[in-house]
Amino acid sequence: MAVERTFSIIKPDATRRNLTGKVNAKIEEAGLRIIAQKRVRLTPIQAEGFYAVHRERPFYKDLCAFMCSGPVVLQILEGENAVARYREVMGATNPANAAPGTIRKEFAESIEANSVHGSDSAENAETEMAYFFEDREIVG
Ligand code: IDP
Ligand code: MG
């Protein structure tokens, strides 16, 4: 399995409850390295662009508003099979369906306020990393 990179967001529900460190501990315990990280407040334009793939879904408007409702932590994670590995560590989209020990099972408030984002493919990871990070901000 090759070393790869994935893109992560710690969402506003988690930063509001001061859970950044607990989420990062789960990431690091899973063998993933945080090689870029910044805390920002997303603008509506940034959130709408990031989630453009979901623009026809009924939850799109609410999701974009939620993502702008407080600080988020943007991250790039590196490790063996990082895309799939982080999806495992995150757990299912709906915390009610998430496996024990996953970030979403332990921390998520709802299907929308589910504490973290993680890329769903290596190709999307590339696009998402480039959307938020300059090369010089990534220190592997
Ligand atoms: P994922 O984050 O597990 O990849 P996606 O289907 O890509 O899930 O959805 C993106 C985000 O949209 C979710 O993480 C969640 O915040 C929100 N979302 C997904 N489905 C619903 C829903 O049915 N109601 C409200 N929000 C949703
Ligand atoms: Mg997704």
Side-chain angles (χ1 to χ4, degrees), residues 10-120:
I10 302 178
K11 295 185 180 183
D13 66 284
T15 61
R16 178 169 45 76
R17 288 173 292 146
N18 208 22
L19 293 172
T20 299
K22 288 198 164 129
V23 171
N24 281 351
K26 290 270 190 202
I27 290 168
E28 294 183 342
E29 282 160 14
L32 296 166
R33 304 182 74 83
I34 301 163
I35 62 166
Q37 177 168 257
K38 57 187 172 186
R39 178 173 161 114
V40 301
R41 183 85 178 232
L42 294 183
T43 66
I45 301 280
Q46 283 178 309
E48 286 160 18
F50 181 75
Y51 279 120
V53 54
H54 292 311
R55 66 181 169 273
E56 305 303 336
R57 310 277 286 277
F59 57 80
Y60 175 69
K61 246 187 117 195
D62 278 356
L63 173 62
C64 292
F66 163 63
M67 292 299 288
C68 297
S69 69
V72 297
V73 180
L74 310 173
Q75 302 176 311
I76 296 177
L77 313 181
E78 185 176 80
E80 294 285 319
N81 208 14
V83 173
R85 183 82 189 103
Y86 190 45
R87 296 289 302 190
E88 283 173 16
V89 174
M90 288 164 54
T93 308
N94 185 344
N97 302 328
T102 60
I103 292 170
R104 284 167 165 172
K105 185 66 173 186
E106 293 200 7
F107 304 131
E109 293 183 318
S110 67
I111 191 170
E112 177 183 79
N114 60 3
S115 302
V116 281
H117 165 87
S119 309
D120 62 6

